[in-house]
Amino acid sequence: MALPYVILALVLGLAIGSFLNVVAYRLPRGESLSHPPSHCPTCDAPIRWYDNLPVIGWLSLRGRCRACGNPISWRYPAVEAVTGLLFALVVGTQDDAIRIALGLLLVTALVPITLIDLDVRLIPNKITLPASIAALIAGLALDIHYVPEQLIAGAAAFAFFFLAAWLYPRGMGMGDVKLAGMLGLYLGRAVAPAIFIALITGVLVGVVIMARVGQAAGRKTAVPFGPFLALGGMIAFFVGDSIMNAYLDRF
Ligand SMILES: [Zn+2]
């Protein structure tokens, strides 16, 4: 897509990223997403609109609350920047309406899923379920011929992880199973490389942690798997089909 659309996507992604910070903070706490308006988590002072501008607000405050001076985590502007850049990347690299819709929806779902799983080791149904429905609606509305592939890939990924969770209950939860099914709906057959990348990177990070803190402590540290599925899903969205074609061409 042309540059003006990419810039528009960047700005939209920055704003959505700001909202996703709110989702990641409030959803696990059972708080309303719309009320009250943004406030400092330390002193409760309301945040003025110009201090709440994505990335720019945090930079102009040098990462401190205007009222109480307590530090505001760098995670907030980082999440906004990453969401904005991924939105721009989706619009910059994709041409079909279905691909753009699925890409933007996927980023919107995976960013809070990653943050919440890192924070509280949980992948909320309140995100995976609506995101799964949204993927199907996008398929039905924009490319009905893609829907069977979405459903088959979603069911296959769900079944694969259901089996994995059953065989290895300490490593996977039902949240991971549902997330894998959701990824199938977004990626179609490219869900295969997504799962492969997630397993490889997950095992690598697990090995590194065990090497650093020892095997027994490493097992207890139990890294959540959701962020690896999110990483694999995002990479596979952009290059998964090329990986599948290159692989299938060899036979
Ligand atoms: Zn404050």
Short mmCIF file of all heavy atoms in Angstrom, two decimals, residues 139-184:
data_model
loop_
_atom_site.label_atom_id
_atom_site.label_comp_id
_atom_site.label_asym_id
_atom_site.label_seq_id
_atom_site.Cartn_x
_atom_site.Cartn_y
_atom_site.Cartn_z
N GLY A 139 -13.22 -13.31 7.33
CA GLY A 139 -13.19 -14.28 6.24
C GLY A 139 -14.51 -14.31 5.49
O GLY A 139 -14.54 -14.25 4.25
N LEU A 140 -15.62 -14.38 6.23
CA LEU A 140 -16.94 -14.45 5.59
C LEU A 140 -17.24 -13.19 4.77
O LEU A 140 -17.82 -13.26 3.69
CB LEU A 140 -18.02 -14.65 6.67
CG LEU A 140 -18.05 -16.02 7.35
CD1 LEU A 140 -18.96 -16.00 8.57
CD2 LEU A 140 -18.50 -17.10 6.37
N ALA A 141 -16.80 -12.04 5.29
CA ALA A 141 -17.15 -10.78 4.63
C ALA A 141 -16.23 -10.47 3.45
O ALA A 141 -16.66 -9.91 2.45
CB ALA A 141 -17.09 -9.63 5.65
N LEU A 142 -14.96 -10.84 3.56
CA LEU A 142 -13.99 -10.35 2.58
C LEU A 142 -13.46 -11.43 1.63
O LEU A 142 -12.99 -11.11 0.54
CB LEU A 142 -12.80 -9.69 3.31
CG LEU A 142 -13.17 -8.49 4.19
CD1 LEU A 142 -11.98 -8.04 5.02
CD2 LEU A 142 -13.67 -7.34 3.32
N ASP A 143 -13.47 -12.70 2.05
CA ASP A 143 -12.96 -13.76 1.16
C ASP A 143 -13.52 -15.10 1.62
O ASP A 143 -12.87 -15.85 2.34
CB ASP A 143 -11.42 -13.77 1.19
CG ASP A 143 -10.86 -14.78 0.19
OD1 ASP A 143 -11.67 -15.41 -0.54
OD2 ASP A 143 -9.63 -14.94 0.14
N ILE A 144 -14.73 -15.39 1.15
CA ILE A 144 -15.45 -16.56 1.68
C ILE A 144 -14.73 -17.87 1.32
O ILE A 144 -14.85 -18.87 2.02
CB ILE A 144 -16.92 -16.54 1.20
CG1 ILE A 144 -17.78 -17.42 2.13
CG2 ILE A 144 -17.04 -16.99 -0.25
CD1 ILE A 144 -19.23 -17.02 2.16
N HIS A 145 -13.90 -17.84 0.24
CA HIS A 145 -13.19 -19.06 -0.16
C HIS A 145 -12.07 -19.42 0.82
O HIS A 145 -11.54 -20.53 0.78
CB HIS A 145 -12.59 -18.88 -1.56
CG HIS A 145 -13.62 -18.54 -2.59
ND1 HIS A 145 -14.59 -19.43 -2.98
CD2 HIS A 145 -13.87 -17.39 -3.26
CE1 HIS A 145 -15.39 -18.85 -3.87
NE2 HIS A 145 -14.97 -17.61 -4.06
N TYR A 146 -11.71 -18.47 1.67
CA TYR A 146 -10.63 -18.70 2.63
C TYR A 146 -11.16 -19.37 3.90
O TYR A 146 -10.39 -19.97 4.65
CB TYR A 146 -9.98 -17.34 2.96
CG TYR A 146 -8.73 -17.43 3.83
CD1 TYR A 146 -7.68 -18.27 3.50
CD2 TYR A 146 -8.62 -16.65 4.98
CE1 TYR A 146 -6.54 -18.34 4.29
CE2 TYR A 146 -7.48 -16.71 5.78
CZ TYR A 146 -6.45 -17.55 5.43
OH TYR A 146 -5.33 -17.62 6.21
N VAL A 147 -12.49 -19.29 4.12
CA VAL A 147 -13.07 -19.75 5.38
C VAL A 147 -12.81 -21.23 5.67
O VAL A 147 -12.44 -21.58 6.79
CB VAL A 147 -14.58 -19.40 5.46
CG1 VAL A 147 -15.22 -19.98 6.71
CG2 VAL A 147 -14.76 -17.88 5.42
N PRO A 148 -12.96 -22.14 4.67
CA PRO A 148 -12.67 -23.56 4.98
C PRO A 148 -11.25 -23.76 5.49
O PRO A 148 -11.03 -24.51 6.45
CB PRO A 148 -12.89 -24.27 3.63
CG PRO A 148 -13.82 -23.38 2.88
CD PRO A 148 -13.49 -21.97 3.31
N GLU A 149 -10.26 -23.07 4.86
CA GLU A 149 -8.86 -23.21 5.32
C GLU A 149 -8.71 -22.68 6.74
O GLU A 149 -8.02 -23.28 7.58
CB GLU A 149 -7.92 -22.45 4.37
CG GLU A 149 -6.45 -22.64 4.75
CD GLU A 149 -5.49 -21.90 3.82
OE1 GLU A 149 -5.82 -21.73 2.62
OE2 GLU A 149 -4.41 -21.51 4.29
N GLN A 150 -9.39 -21.56 7.03
CA GLN A 150 -9.36 -21.01 8.40
C GLN A 150 -9.87 -22.05 9.40
O GLN A 150 -9.23 -22.29 10.44
CB GLN A 150 -10.26 -19.77 8.49
CG GLN A 150 -9.72 -18.52 7.84
CD GLN A 150 -10.71 -17.37 8.03
OE1 GLN A 150 -11.81 -17.40 7.53
NE2 GLN A 150 -10.30 -16.36 8.78
N LEU A 151 -11.02 -22.66 9.08
CA LEU A 151 -11.65 -23.60 10.02
C LEU A 151 -10.80 -24.85 10.21
O LEU A 151 -10.61 -25.32 11.34
CB LEU A 151 -13.04 -23.97 9.52
CG LEU A 151 -14.09 -22.85 9.59
CD1 LEU A 151 -15.38 -23.26 8.88
CD2 LEU A 151 -14.37 -22.48 11.04
N ILE A 152 -10.25 -25.38 9.11
CA ILE A 152 -9.43 -26.60 9.21
C ILE A 152 -8.17 -26.30 10.03
O ILE A 152 -7.80 -27.06 10.94
CB ILE A 152 -9.06 -27.13 7.81
CG1 ILE A 152 -10.34 -27.64 7.11
CG2 ILE A 152 -8.02 -28.24 7.89
CD1 ILE A 152 -10.17 -27.92 5.62
N ALA A 153 -7.49 -25.17 9.71
CA ALA A 153 -6.26 -24.83 10.43
C ALA A 153 -6.55 -24.56 11.90
O ALA A 153 -5.78 -24.97 12.78
CB ALA A 153 -5.60 -23.61 9.77
N GLY A 154 -7.66 -23.88 12.18
CA GLY A 154 -8.03 -23.59 13.57
C GLY A 154 -8.28 -24.87 14.35
O GLY A 154 -7.78 -25.05 15.46
N ALA A 155 -9.05 -25.79 13.73
CA ALA A 155 -9.36 -27.06 14.40
C ALA A 155 -8.10 -27.90 14.59
O ALA A 155 -7.90 -28.51 15.66
CB ALA A 155 -10.41 -27.83 13.59
N ALA A 156 -7.23 -27.94 13.58
CA ALA A 156 -6.01 -28.76 13.66
C ALA A 156 -5.07 -28.21 14.75
O ALA A 156 -4.53 -28.99 15.55
CB ALA A 156 -5.30 -28.77 12.30
N ALA A 157 -4.88 -26.88 14.77
CA ALA A 157 -3.99 -26.29 15.78
C ALA A 157 -4.56 -26.50 17.18
O ALA A 157 -3.82 -26.81 18.12
CB ALA A 157 -3.79 -24.80 15.49
N PHE A 158 -5.88 -26.33 17.32
CA PHE A 158 -6.53 -26.55 18.61
C PHE A 158 -6.32 -27.99 19.07
O PHE A 158 -5.91 -28.24 20.21
CB PHE A 158 -8.03 -26.24 18.48
CG PHE A 158 -8.79 -26.33 19.78
CD1 PHE A 158 -8.96 -25.20 20.57
CD2 PHE A 158 -9.32 -27.53 20.21
CE1 PHE A 158 -9.67 -25.27 21.76
CE2 PHE A 158 -10.02 -27.61 21.40
CZ PHE A 158 -10.19 -26.48 22.18
N ALA A 159 -6.54 -28.96 18.15
CA ALA A 159 -6.41 -30.39 18.50
C ALA A 159 -4.97 -30.72 18.87
O ALA A 159 -4.71 -31.44 19.85
CB ALA A 159 -6.87 -31.25 17.33
N PHE A 160 -4.00 -30.18 18.10
CA PHE A 160 -2.58 -30.44 18.36
C PHE A 160 -2.19 -29.97 19.77
O PHE A 160 -1.54 -30.70 20.53
CB PHE A 160 -1.73 -29.72 17.31
CG PHE A 160 -0.25 -29.89 17.48
CD1 PHE A 160 0.39 -31.02 17.02
CD2 PHE A 160 0.50 -28.89 18.09
CE1 PHE A 160 1.76 -31.18 17.19
CE2 PHE A 160 1.88 -29.04 18.27
CZ PHE A 160 2.50 -30.19 17.81
N PHE A 161 -2.64 -28.78 20.13
CA PHE A 161 -2.28 -28.25 21.45
C PHE A 161 -3.10 -28.89 22.57
O PHE A 161 -2.61 -29.00 23.69
CB PHE A 161 -2.42 -26.72 21.46
CG PHE A 161 -1.16 -26.05 21.05
CD1 PHE A 161 -0.83 -25.94 19.70
CD2 PHE A 161 -0.27 -25.60 21.99
CE1 PHE A 161 0.36 -25.37 19.32
CE2 PHE A 161 0.93 -25.02 21.62
CZ PHE A 161 1.25 -24.90 20.28
N PHE A 162 -4.32 -29.30 22.24
CA PHE A 162 -5.12 -30.01 23.24
C PHE A 162 -4.41 -31.30 23.64
O PHE A 162 -4.29 -31.62 24.82
CB PHE A 162 -6.51 -30.31 22.67
CG PHE A 162 -7.49 -30.78 23.70
CD1 PHE A 162 -8.14 -29.85 24.51
CD2 PHE A 162 -7.74 -32.13 23.89
CE1 PHE A 162 -9.04 -30.27 25.49
CE2 PHE A 162 -8.63 -32.56 24.86
CZ PHE A 162 -9.28 -31.63 25.66
N LEU A 163 -3.87 -31.99 22.64
CA LEU A 163 -3.11 -33.22 22.88
C LEU A 163 -1.84 -32.91 23.69
O LEU A 163 -1.51 -33.61 24.65
CB LEU A 163 -2.76 -33.87 21.54
CG LEU A 163 -2.26 -35.31 21.60
CD1 LEU A 163 -3.37 -36.25 22.03
CD2 LEU A 163 -1.72 -35.73 20.23
N ALA A 164 -1.14 -31.84 23.29
CA ALA A 164 0.09 -31.45 24.00
C ALA A 164 -0.20 -31.12 25.45
O ALA A 164 0.54 -31.52 26.35
CB ALA A 164 0.74 -30.26 23.28
N ALA A 165 -1.30 -30.40 25.70
CA ALA A 165 -1.66 -30.02 27.08
C ALA A 165 -2.05 -31.26 27.89
O ALA A 165 -1.82 -31.32 29.09
CB ALA A 165 -2.81 -29.01 27.06
N TRP A 166 -2.65 -32.23 27.21
CA TRP A 166 -3.06 -33.46 27.88
C TRP A 166 -1.84 -34.31 28.24
O TRP A 166 -1.75 -34.87 29.34
CB TRP A 166 -4.01 -34.24 26.95
CG TRP A 166 -4.60 -35.47 27.56
CD1 TRP A 166 -5.40 -35.54 28.66
CD2 TRP A 166 -4.42 -36.81 27.08
NE1 TRP A 166 -5.73 -36.84 28.90
CE2 TRP A 166 -5.15 -37.64 27.95
CE3 TRP A 166 -3.73 -37.37 25.99
CZ2 TRP A 166 -5.20 -39.02 27.77
CZ3 TRP A 166 -3.78 -38.73 25.82
CH2 TRP A 166 -4.51 -39.55 26.70
N LEU A 167 -0.85 -34.36 27.33
CA LEU A 167 0.36 -35.15 27.57
C LEU A 167 1.30 -34.46 28.55
O LEU A 167 2.04 -35.10 29.27
CB LEU A 167 1.11 -35.39 26.25
CG LEU A 167 0.42 -36.31 25.24
CD1 LEU A 167 1.17 -36.29 23.92
CD2 LEU A 167 0.35 -37.74 25.78
N TYR A 168 1.29 -33.11 28.53
CA TYR A 168 2.27 -32.35 29.29
C TYR A 168 1.56 -31.19 29.98
O TYR A 168 1.72 -30.04 29.64
CB TYR A 168 3.36 -31.85 28.33
CG TYR A 168 4.48 -31.09 28.98
CD1 TYR A 168 5.19 -31.63 30.05
CD2 TYR A 168 4.85 -29.84 28.52
CE1 TYR A 168 6.21 -30.92 30.64
CE2 TYR A 168 5.87 -29.12 29.10
CZ TYR A 168 6.54 -29.67 30.16
OH TYR A 168 7.56 -28.97 30.76
N PRO A 169 0.72 -31.52 30.99
CA PRO A 169 -0.16 -30.49 31.59
C PRO A 169 0.59 -29.36 32.29
O PRO A 169 0.05 -28.28 32.43
CB PRO A 169 -1.01 -31.30 32.58
CG PRO A 169 -0.37 -32.61 32.75
CD PRO A 169 0.52 -32.85 31.58
N ARG A 170 1.85 -29.60 32.70
CA ARG A 170 2.55 -28.53 33.40
C ARG A 170 3.07 -27.46 32.44
O ARG A 170 3.36 -26.35 32.83
CB ARG A 170 3.72 -29.10 34.19
CG ARG A 170 3.27 -29.79 35.48
CD ARG A 170 4.37 -29.79 36.49
NE ARG A 170 5.59 -30.35 35.90
CZ ARG A 170 6.75 -30.38 36.54
NH1 ARG A 170 6.85 -29.87 37.73
NH2 ARG A 170 7.81 -30.92 35.97
N GLY A 171 3.24 -27.86 31.16
CA GLY A 171 3.82 -26.92 30.20
C GLY A 171 2.79 -26.06 29.49
O GLY A 171 3.08 -24.94 29.09
N MET A 172 1.58 -26.60 29.30
CA MET A 172 0.57 -25.88 28.51
C MET A 172 -0.71 -25.78 29.33
O MET A 172 -1.06 -26.67 30.07
CB MET A 172 0.20 -26.66 27.25
CG MET A 172 1.35 -27.05 26.39
SD MET A 172 1.60 -25.82 25.14
CE MET A 172 3.15 -26.41 24.49
N GLY A 173 -1.43 -24.70 29.11
CA GLY A 173 -2.75 -24.56 29.71
C GLY A 173 -3.80 -24.50 28.62
O GLY A 173 -3.47 -24.45 27.43
N MET A 174 -5.08 -24.49 29.03
CA MET A 174 -6.15 -24.39 28.05
C MET A 174 -6.11 -23.05 27.32
O MET A 174 -6.56 -22.94 26.18
CB MET A 174 -7.52 -24.59 28.72
CG MET A 174 -7.93 -26.05 28.89
SD MET A 174 -7.78 -27.02 27.36
CE MET A 174 -9.20 -26.42 26.43
N GLY A 175 -5.54 -22.03 27.97
CA GLY A 175 -5.38 -20.73 27.31
C GLY A 175 -4.51 -20.86 26.06
O GLY A 175 -4.82 -20.27 25.02
N ASP A 176 -3.42 -21.64 26.17
CA ASP A 176 -2.54 -21.86 25.02
C ASP A 176 -3.28 -22.62 23.92
O ASP A 176 -3.10 -22.34 22.73
CB ASP A 176 -1.30 -22.66 25.44
CG ASP A 176 -0.47 -21.91 26.47
OD1 ASP A 176 -0.14 -20.75 26.23
OD2 ASP A 176 -0.17 -22.52 27.52
N VAL A 177 -4.10 -23.60 24.33
CA VAL A 177 -4.86 -24.41 23.36
C VAL A 177 -5.79 -23.50 22.55
O VAL A 177 -5.84 -23.57 21.31
CB VAL A 177 -5.66 -25.51 24.08
CG1 VAL A 177 -6.50 -26.31 23.10
CG2 VAL A 177 -4.74 -26.42 24.89
N LYS A 178 -6.52 -22.63 23.26
CA LYS A 178 -7.46 -21.74 22.57
C LYS A 178 -6.73 -20.72 21.71
O LYS A 178 -7.18 -20.38 20.61
CB LYS A 178 -8.35 -21.02 23.59
CG LYS A 178 -9.31 -21.97 24.30
CD LYS A 178 -10.02 -21.27 25.44
CE LYS A 178 -10.51 -22.26 26.46
NZ LYS A 178 -10.80 -21.62 27.76
N LEU A 179 -5.57 -20.25 22.21
CA LEU A 179 -4.79 -19.30 21.41
C LEU A 179 -4.31 -19.96 20.11
O LEU A 179 -4.33 -19.34 19.04
CB LEU A 179 -3.60 -18.77 22.22
CG LEU A 179 -2.60 -17.88 21.48
CD1 LEU A 179 -3.30 -16.68 20.85
CD2 LEU A 179 -1.50 -17.40 22.43
N ALA A 180 -3.87 -21.23 20.20
CA ALA A 180 -3.42 -21.94 18.99
C ALA A 180 -4.57 -22.05 17.98
O ALA A 180 -4.39 -21.81 16.78
CB ALA A 180 -2.89 -23.32 19.37
N GLY A 181 -5.78 -22.39 18.48
CA GLY A 181 -6.94 -22.45 17.59
C GLY A 181 -7.23 -21.11 16.94
O GLY A 181 -7.51 -21.02 15.74
N MET A 182 -7.13 -20.05 17.75
CA MET A 182 -7.34 -18.70 17.22
C MET A 182 -6.33 -18.38 16.12
O MET A 182 -6.67 -17.83 15.08
CB MET A 182 -7.20 -17.69 18.38
CG MET A 182 -7.46 -16.25 18.01
SD MET A 182 -6.75 -15.10 19.24
CE MET A 182 -5.34 -14.48 18.33
N LEU A 183 -5.06 -18.76 16.33
CA LEU A 183 -4.03 -18.50 15.32
C LEU A 183 -4.35 -19.21 14.01
O LEU A 183 -4.10 -18.67 12.93
CB LEU A 183 -2.65 -18.93 15.83
CG LEU A 183 -1.99 -18.04 16.88
CD1 LEU A 183 -0.63 -18.59 17.28
CD2 LEU A 183 -1.85 -16.60 16.38
N GLY A 184 -4.90 -20.43 14.11
CA GLY A 184 -5.29 -21.15 12.90
C GLY A 184 -6.31 -20.37 12.08
O GLY A 184 -6.24 -20.33 10.85
#
